[in-house]
Amino acid sequence: MARLPTTFCAVVVERRLLWTLAYRLVGSPSGAENAVRETYTRWYSLPPDVQERIDNPLSWLVGTLVRVCAVARPRRGICVGVGARRYRTQR
């Protein structure tokens, strides 16, 4: 059985990590996929010299993904009072 290149395996693991994190942040598979796609689009839009200056690309990707998810996440209501079942939306 042929072995896959190490770089390819690292990218697959990296993408899986980003997708899992995005899914936990946005709560839907399609939203997670869109967030990961946007994150990689931003990474590959950077000029090569800027990419080379980034010491830890995975850290950059995770930070960017969190920001993308924060913008994409729908606002949820907050509970008013202890044990209350009424919600109000955040502004």
Side-chain angles (χ1 to χ4, degrees):
M1 181 177 198
R3 293 186 58 125
L4 294 173
T6 306
T7 305
F8 175 76
C9 293
V11 170
V12 169
V13 169
E14 175 183 273
R15 191 174 201 302
R16 186 178 305 148
L17 171 88
L18 293 173
W19 190 90
T20 302
L21 177 60
Y23 179 74
R24 288 180 179 262
L25 291 171
V26 297
S28 74
S30 61
E33 186 62 36
N34 289 339
V36 170
R37 190 176 307 124
E38 174 64 23
T39 300
Y40 275 117
T41 299
R42 291 181 186 189
W43 171 256
Y44 287 113
S45 297
L46 291 174
D49 60 321
V50 174
Q51 285 183 2
E52 290 174 10
R53 283 185 293 191
I54 295 173
D55 293 329
N56 188 346
L58 181 59
S59 177
W60 186 94
L61 289 168
V62 169
T64 302
L65 179 76
V66 169
R67 286 188 294 279
V68 167
C69 290
V71 170
R73 185 176 182 177
R75 291 185 175 205
R76 296 194 173 147
I78 57 172
C79 184
V80 180
V82 177
R85 295 196 181 247
R86 294 173 292 161
Y87 292 89
R88 69 173 180 215
T89 57
Q90 296 174 342
R91 294 190 188 254

